[in-house]
Amino acid sequence: MQVVRSHQSHRSFSSSSGSVSASPTLPLYRSAPELEVRLEDFESFAIDRLRVLKGISDGLSRGKKPDEMEKLVNELWKTNMRHQDSSQVLNKDIISHFVLRLVYCRTEELRKWFLSMESALFRHRFRNQTAEAQRAIMEEFDLPCKAVSNAEFESLKDKLGQVARSIGHNLSLSTTDAIYYKVPFEEVPELVTGRKVFINQGYAYVAMNQVVSLVATIFRSLLSKALILTNRKWATSIREQEQHRLTPIVEALCSSYLGPDFSQPKEYGEISLKDIDQVAKSSFPLCMRHLFEKLREDHHLKHAGRMQLGLFLKGVGLNVDDSLAFWREEFSKKVGLEKFEKDYAYNIRHNYGKEGKKTDYTPYSCQKIILSTPGVGDHHGCPYRHFGEENLRAALSRMGVNSRAMEDVMGKVRNRDYQLACTLTFEALHAASCDAGINHPNQYFSDSQRLLKAKKDSST
Amino acid sequence: MTRQGAYKESDDMLIDEPKLPQQGQIAALPNEFNPSYLKIYYSKLFPHADLYRWMSYGNDGKHPACDSSYLGRREFSYTLDNDIFVRYNTFNSATELENSIKDKCPLKIDIGPIYNLNPARRNAYAGDNVLTPVERELIFDIDMSDYDDVRYCCSGADVCLNCWPLMTVAVKVIDTSLRDDFGFRHILWVYSGRRGVHCWVCDRKARRLTNEQRAAVADYFRVYKGNENNYKKVSLMGQVLHPFLARSYTEVLKEYFETKLLTSQNLLSSEERYEKILEMIPDQSIASELRGKWQESRRSSSAKEDINIVRWEQLKQLLQKHKAQVVRRCVEEIVFTYTFPRLDMEVSKHMNHLLKAPFCVHPKTGRVCVPINPNNCEEFDPTTVPTLIQLLEELNREGLRSDVEGEWNKTSLANAIKLFRSSFLQPLLKICKEEMESSYNAKLQQSKNLLSW
């Protein structure tokens, strides 16, 4: 790809051609194509695509169902990825992707985010392709799966039908429904995980409509490897070469679009141990309040709960010594002082980056918490998602949510808009609106503290 | 065992073996685990060579395809006296492994993954070239304490013959699925020593699964999704059950629920207990009807029939003929809730998770972690698993009778070790050898093809 100014001065920044796309409308981004792009477009194409990716990210956090996501993706794409010259639409698609690769290749966190969003985008766009285009793409990806022969299909028809009905797809007798692919089960973890396929002797039998999953996995793994290579290229040559032209653009593009990760607590955050009970009642979101109360009640929390609450407290401003004192106070009531020091103190210090490989862990965002899977004896997770309706109502009313707000909140929960439910709770309890919506427990906390402080200041 | 402190190799030669309890003295000793007896166990009974051969996966031979660095990249962890935990122990030979265990006498040995580089030298590696697991058995850990909400005979660390059938169910369901569905063949089930079972899937394919793939398999086995915050723990959606669930139900769960657990746990005999089941029924009128019936008749009308069985039949009658599928499905949901295996997901999902080695002795019970044969797991009795003291008594009794196989052959450990070898180790090593030879031959052929032009 070559980036040029409107009045042409060439600098090449990556070469190698290759077939652009197995499908006329969905590129696979296998290699940067030979294209010229103007400097202005370099940035604006990337920003447009970033709007799409950010929109997808928001949609996922809100727990939108697949068909809602599909609508969302279509809208986002139509709105942002147009071009006045229709022959340039595909180019814009490709260029914007490769520019964002540069932007998001540079750290593990950035790569993870970009990978997730581009994979989600690809998955939804793939679904919308024609069957022919889909087949072409599968061939391009060298999928290690074979079509199931008629004979085998007949012998397995009952079981395949059972699986289809168990996940709500009715296996009709139409010819497309009779097309199954046989693939080693490890190639399709997403399908194995929900028991969405029939598995026999190590092979998963994938329906045509599930093929999307196969393809998305491959896309994701190819992109993942490519990002590592891009990072290397960036670090060793591109950043230096382009320091007066593309590098500043690339570096600016990234920071404007990801929210704060709360790894560095702000000034509002400082809480002291003696205030913690009070502050928990007034400013903790329900997920953390529940963990906190359970800790006070049982003097114990299982590992996942300790992580979720512990990192939250770190983000809120509790330093490592106060944190140790806090956990020690509770745990020593149940397991004794000695066992605490032996079994638990190490992990707390680990969370602050003081032990082992010294990673400074960041507090979990709502998206991460919603996706967790609390099991027996666990209290972590998102109550709006993981509590049964009765328990949730009880917890909310203990927080002080009035009955009218309660119904609105439960409505959001039923619709699986867990973060909106939390936002409404926030609004009800603080008698103020929260336009940005809740995306992170520490955001809930700092917004709450800010409001309370403002109220206190204005009343004095 | 000597006083605590650093062990020096020379010390080994000078230490007197602690005196074994004499016959007749046994009754006077507490039947507990005693670290000094471990020394004897490791010196005479623990199957070091078998562990070595297993962990080598065929790389201990002379075949040119053998990877001599293979064993040395496997992590072993020791829990020593005073809860000292030492990670990243590695060994390059059978004698190194054996001597280390005999020397250190760990209370517990954990097996970790095989890393890309020798973990003992991990601090020498800087930057991004970090230690990464490259192979690890697919493992499962099933712990009875995760079933505390569905068993009344014991709770927490205790286990008895009334609740052990839950483990039998878990072994049957998971073992069948691992073999029939996933096509795995080299599966080792081990008693955890106190209240559960571990499973090691050692096929080459299994060892190379990524974390994501492991999570997928563990999730495939997951049905129970509850905790105290959500009273409905099992939700079986869909018009019909997935073939895996259906098979588990008809082949294992239904029978164990109806013929064993219902009565041994008295699941419907008291109000507190039957309420837990009634609250799972989505149709309030049916629940009330049953509640009313049961509150009236505190005893079953016929003295012969167990009250739990009678009540279960009544419940099934009402639910199964209901027109709403969600109500009919409730019967299965109840059975699944009370019987379906509950795995510890975290253990299976991560390649770097450590798991206790078979043939360790559990410090709280003194019992040896012996293999369980999945083909007759219903006969396994945790209360008769050999204990450390028992084994030492047996050694004592047999005295100087020499045994070509090894000292363990004179004791109750013999069956366990033989089972380990015949049903697991030998078939595994045979396949490893075959795979090694065939891939080596394939490579040879490939390079021959390149050369001949």
Side-chain angles (χ1 to χ4, degrees):
Chain A
M1 197 153 75
Q2 291 192 357
V3 184
V4 298
R5 293 226 173 75
S6 312
H7 52 282
Q8 322 117 357
S9 85
H10 298 243
R11 282 299 163 96
S12 90
F13 100 88
S14 97
S15 57
S16 93
S17 58
S19 64
V20 160
S21 170
S23 137
T25 52
L26 181 55
L28 302 179
Y29 317 109
R30 297 294 293 267
S31 50
E34 300 277 330
L35 287 177
E36 274 187 8
V37 54
R38 298 180 315 170
L39 195 57
E40 306 86 77
D41 290 338
F42 183 91
E43 185 173 14
S44 73
F45 285 177
I47 290 180
D48 286 342
R49 192 183 192 92
L50 205 43
R51 287 206 183 93
V52 176
L53 297 184
K54 183 87 193 343
I56 293 176
S57 178
D58 280 344
L60 289 173
S61 316
R62 281 161 206 273
K64 280 200 191 293
K65 293 173 279 243
D67 41 328
E68 293 171 330
M69 280 305 293
E70 194 138 328
K71 243 179 55 180
L72 177 65
V73 169
N74 288 337
E75 272 173 43
L76 286 167
W77 191 263
K78 248 192 349 208
T79 318
N80 293 294
M81 295 303 286
R82 281 181 306 209
H83 195 284
Q84 55 205 36
D85 179 356
S86 61
S87 70
Q88 288 300 303
V89 168
L90 189 60
N91 286 344
K92 176 170 172 176
D93 184 353
I94 297 172
I95 291 167
S96 60
H97 171 90
F98 279 94
V99 173
L100 287 184
R101 272 201 203 182
L102 278 183
V103 177
Y104 284 92
C105 69
R106 296 165 303 138
T107 75
E108 174 79 34
E109 280 261 13
L110 294 176
R111 288 197 290 270
K112 223 163 108 170
W113 184 86
F114 182 67
L115 199 56
S116 296
M117 299 312 133
E118 279 284 337
S119 302
L121 176 62
F122 182 84
R123 174 181 288 133
H124 288 284
R125 291 177 70 198
F126 179 85
R127 264 213 194 91
N128 286 336
Q129 300 291 300
T130 63
E132 259 173 61
Q134 288 179 340
R135 253 178 273 233
I137 292 176
M138 280 165 70
E139 259 180 52
E140 171 75 21
F141 274 162
D142 277 330
L143 280 185
C145 66
K146 305 183 312 216
V148 168
S149 70
N150 280 333
E152 196 177 3
F153 176 74
E154 283 304 314
S155 72
L156 294 173
K157 205 160 72 164
D158 284 339
K159 294 262 160 55
L160 296 175
Q162 257 186 293
V163 176
R165 288 194 336 266
S166 78
I167 54 177
H169 293 156
N170 282 318
L171 186 67
S172 72
L173 294 170
S174 82
T175 43
T176 39
D177 278 349
I179 299 177
Y180 272 78
Y181 290 91
K182 189 171 159 172
V183 61
F185 77 86
E186 63 270 17
E187 304 285 337
V188 284
E190 307 106 288
L191 296 179
V192 171
T193 216
R195 288 188 293 268
K196 299 200 176 76
V197 280
F198 177 63
I199 303 181
N200 188 251
Q201 289 306 321
Y203 285 95
Y205 290 79
V206 184
M208 186 61 183
N209 64 31
Q210 293 174 314
V211 148
V212 176
S213 182
L214 276 175
V215 170
T217 306
I218 296 180
F219 175 82
R220 199 194 159 98
S221 105
L222 287 173
L223 183 54
S224 175
K225 295 189 184 108
L227 279 176
I228 307 276
L229 289 175
T230 308
N231 184 30
R232 220 165 275 170
K233 255 201 196 159
W234 170 263
T236 55
S237 55
I238 304 177
R239 184 178 56 195
E240 178 74 36
Q241 276 172 16
E242 292 291 338
Q243 58 177 300
H244 300 300
R245 195 178 61 149
L246 302 181
T247 302
I249 301 177
V250 164
E251 285 175 349
L253 271 171
C254 157
S255 52
S256 49
Y257 275 89
L258 287 178
D261 65 2
F262 296 97
S263 54
Q264 306 305 324
K266 315 264 190 349
E267 344 95 57
Y268 295 111
E270 300 278 325
I271 55 169
S272 73
L273 276 187
K274 59 179 173 55
D275 299 328
I276 200 169
D277 286 276
Q278 177 54 38
V279 135
K281 277 211 185 66
S282 66
S283 297
F284 279 12
L286 181 57
C287 52
M288 300 303 172
R289 210 177 124 126
H290 177 68
L291 281 166
F292 184 82
E293 283 173 1
K294 277 294 162 191
L295 177 63
R296 286 284 191 226
E297 205 181 293
D298 300 336
H299 310 300
H300 190 274
L301 278 180
K302 284 182 118 176
H303 178 261
R306 296 200 297 274
M307 288 299 281
Q308 190 176 305
L309 181 60
L311 291 174
F312 168 75
L313 292 175
K314 183 175 86 156
V316 141
L318 198 63
N319 65 38
V320 63
D321 292 316
D322 280 347
S323 179
L324 280 166
F326 168 70
W327 291 98
R328 185 184 299 126
E329 189 200 327
E330 280 309 326
F331 270 64
S332 59
K333 289 182 190 150
K334 176 136 191 208
V335 303
L337 202 53
E338 206 186 300
K339 190 155 174 19
F340 172 79
E341 292 303 337
K342 215 189 309 184
D343 290 348
Y344 297 100
Y346 176 91
N347 276 318
I348 294 168
R349 301 226 307 283
H350 203 285
N351 286 346
Y352 282 78
K354 304 257 184 273
E355 297 282 0
K357 63 181 175 171
K358 309 236 166 94
T359 312
D360 202 8
Y361 292 95
T362 47
Y364 298 164
S365 64
C366 287
Q367 190 173 350
K368 181 161 179 161
I369 291 174
I370 287 171
L371 290 173
S372 62
T373 51
V376 180
D378 284 323
H379 294 289
H380 64 282
C382 174
Y384 299 99
R385 174 163 184 222
H386 296 116
F387 278 24
E389 182 165 329
E390 268 178 52
N391 290 56
L392 184 55
R393 279 177 186 273
L396 287 172
S397 83
R398 264 202 323 273
M399 267 180 109
V401 175
N402 68 55
S403 49
R404 216 197 34 204
M406 179 86 77
E407 292 316 313
D408 291 336
V409 170
M410 297 313 287
K412 293 293 175 202
V413 168
R414 261 177 242 120
N415 223 26
R416 299 205 221 157
D417 288 324
Y418 309 116
Q419 282 168 256
L420 291 181
C422 190
T423 310
L424 285 183
T425 306
F426 180 93
E427 291 180 346
L429 292 175
H430 294 79
S433 72
C434 173
D435 296 321
I438 298 295
N439 290 315
H440 198 296
N442 287 89
Q443 174 208 357
Y444 183 110
F445 180 83
S446 49
D447 286 353
S448 168
Q449 285 283 289
R450 197 179 306 127
L451 278 173
L452 292 173
K453 187 168 184 296
K455 263 199 201 124
K456 206 167 73 155
D457 288 343
S458 70
S459 66
T460 49
Chain B
M1 194 112 134
T2 59
R3 6 162 236 297
Q4 309 315 320
Y7 286 95
K8 296 200 291 283
E9 279 191 42
S10 54
D11 280 347
D12 228 356
M13 298 294 123
L14 302 173
I15 295 169
D16 282 317
E17 280 186 31
K19 299 245 175 339
L20 270 183
Q22 304 299 315
Q23 259 194 330
Q25 260 189 330
I26 304 301
L29 291 167
N31 193 12
E32 273 170 20
F33 177 85
N34 186 325
S36 70
Y37 296 149
L38 257 191
K39 190 133 185 96
I40 308 178
Y41 178 74
Y42 283 133
S43 113
K44 293 179 190 282
L45 297 173
F46 183 86
H48 301 276
D50 294 85
L51 179 62
Y52 167 75
R53 280 160 61 220
W54 172 21
M55 291 286 112
S56 301
Y57 284 96
N59 284 296
D60 53 330
K62 303 248 189 324
H63 195 281
C66 288
D67 174 1
S68 57
S69 80
Y70 188 81
L71 181 67
R73 288 183 284 120
R74 165 87 70 173
E75 173 184 2
F76 292 87
S77 298
Y78 289 161
T79 305
L80 305 175
D81 225 358
N82 276 341
D83 279 339
I84 298 171
F85 188 65
V86 183
R87 287 193 65 176
Y88 300 116
N89 298 300
T90 58
F91 310 106
N92 292 301
S93 70
T95 27
E96 263 185 50
L97 173 65
E98 180 168 350
N99 288 343
S100 169
I101 294 177
K102 285 177 170 171
D103 182 39
K104 298 286 195 303
C105 265
L107 293 176
K108 181 165 79 126
I109 304 172
D110 283 293
I111 301 176
I114 302 230
Y115 289 97
N116 55 336
L117 312 157
N118 187 327
R121 288 191 242 122
R122 67 195 177 284
N123 291 318
Y125 306 121
D128 273 341
N129 202 5
V130 285
L131 212 52
T132 336
V134 293
E135 272 191 32
R136 208 273 187 272
E137 294 75 10
L138 175 61
I139 54 178
F140 298 99
D141 179 356
I142 303 168
D143 186 322
M144 191 68 90
S145 62
D146 284 341
Y147 292 78
D148 281 354
D149 61 314
V150 294
R151 59 174 182 147
Y152 298 106
C153 50
C154 317
S155 73
D158 298 325
V159 144
C160 70
L161 290 178
N162 281 328
C163 51
W164 185 261
L166 287 167
M167 291 294 113
T168 307
V169 168
V171 173
K172 281 180 183 286
V173 167
I174 307 248
D175 190 75
T176 306
S177 183
L178 286 172
R179 288 176 205 273
D180 294 353
D181 301 345
F182 291 97
F184 293 125
R185 303 226 287 259
H186 302 285
I187 302 173
L188 174 70
W189 287 92
V190 186
Y191 174 52
S192 76
R194 186 165 59 160
R195 63 186 188 208
V197 295
H198 296 163
C199 177
W200 300 76
V201 184
C202 303
D203 297 56
R204 190 163 183 276
K205 195 195 217 194
R207 284 160 18 222
R208 294 178 155 223
L209 291 176
T210 64
N211 286 355
E212 188 191 1
Q213 291 161 341
R214 285 159 206 266
V217 176
D219 212 70
Y220 179 86
F221 291 139
R222 191 164 183 250
V223 166
Y224 182 89
K225 284 183 183 169
N227 55 28
E228 70 190 59
N229 297 318
N230 189 335
Y231 73 85
K232 189 124 185 287
K233 329 271 204 240
V234 169
S235 184
L236 299 173
M237 314 285 257
Q239 291 173 11
V240 300
L241 294 182
H242 185 282
F244 161 57
L245 300 182
R247 177 191 68 213
S248 304
Y249 183 77
T250 50
E251 289 182 5
V252 185
L253 306 182
K254 183 167 145 78
E255 179 201 328
Y256 269 77
F257 180 81
E258 292 186 346
T259 66
K260 292 192 166 56
L261 294 162
L262 199 52
T263 49
S264 71
Q265 297 293 329
N266 283 302
L267 293 177
L268 292 170
S269 59
S270 74
E271 181 174 342
E272 190 194 331
R273 295 185 191 185
Y274 65 58
E275 271 307 318
K276 273 171 65 167
I277 292 184
L278 289 181
E279 111 189 328
M280 291 169 61
I281 300 177
D283 184 323
Q284 287 304 321
S285 62
I286 294 188
S288 311
E289 191 179 330
L290 289 168
R291 188 178 291 120
K293 218 182 261 198
W294 297 345
Q295 270 165 356
E296 275 177 27
S297 66
R298 303 264 158 180
R299 253 182 292 279
S300 71
S301 43
S302 128
K304 291 207 176 92
E305 274 238 274
D306 182 291
I307 193 170
N308 298 289
I309 295 188
V310 168
R311 288 181 174 174
W312 179 246
E313 281 307 311
Q314 290 170 342
L315 186 149
K316 275 204 300 186
Q317 286 257 346
L318 281 182
L319 289 181
Q320 279 170 345
K321 62 179 202 244
H322 199 278
K323 57 178 165 31
Q325 206 226 353
V326 68
V327 176
R328 295 198 301 272
R329 181 56 61 72
C330 193
V331 173
E332 283 97 334
E333 283 177 346
I334 295 172
V335 172
F336 272 81
T337 303
Y338 279 82
T339 61
F340 196 84
R342 300 177 185 190
L343 307 174
D344 184 337
M345 303 289 289
E346 291 306 304
V347 170
S348 308
K349 278 178 6 181
H350 303 285
M351 279 177 97
N352 59 11
H353 204 286
L354 300 170
L355 189 64
K356 182 164 62 176
F359 296 104
C360 284
V361 179
H362 197 295
K364 300 227 167 67
T365 60
R367 298 209 190 263
V368 179
C369 301
V370 294
I372 299 177
N373 185 348
N375 296 330
N376 64 4
C377 54
E378 59 277 1
E379 286 167 25
F380 181 82
D381 181 348
T383 64
T384 60
V385 170
T387 65
L388 183 55
I389 298 257
Q390 173 192 343
L391 291 174
L392 296 187
E393 287 174 27
E394 289 170 358
L395 267 185
N396 217 9
R397 269 204 298 276
E398 295 300 320
L400 293 169
R401 171 168 87 84
S402 71
D403 201 296
V404 143
E405 282 277 18
E407 302 256 14
W408 52 262
N409 208 21
K410 319 179 198 173
T411 68
S412 312
L413 204 55
N415 286 337
I417 293 187
K418 286 178 183 158
L419 178 66
F420 179 80
R421 289 179 179 179
S422 62
S423 71
F424 169 71
L425 188 60
Q426 276 151 11
L428 173 65
L429 294 181
K430 179 158 177 273
I431 286 287
C432 285
K433 186 164 168 224
E434 285 171 15
E435 283 175 351
M436 205 176 274
E437 280 172 0
S438 77
S439 82
Y440 183 73
N441 290 337
K443 280 205 187 103
L444 269 185
Q445 193 57 45
Q446 219 180 38
S447 55
K448 275 197 196 131
N449 291 342
L450 285 175
L451 288 173
S452 62
W453 39 272

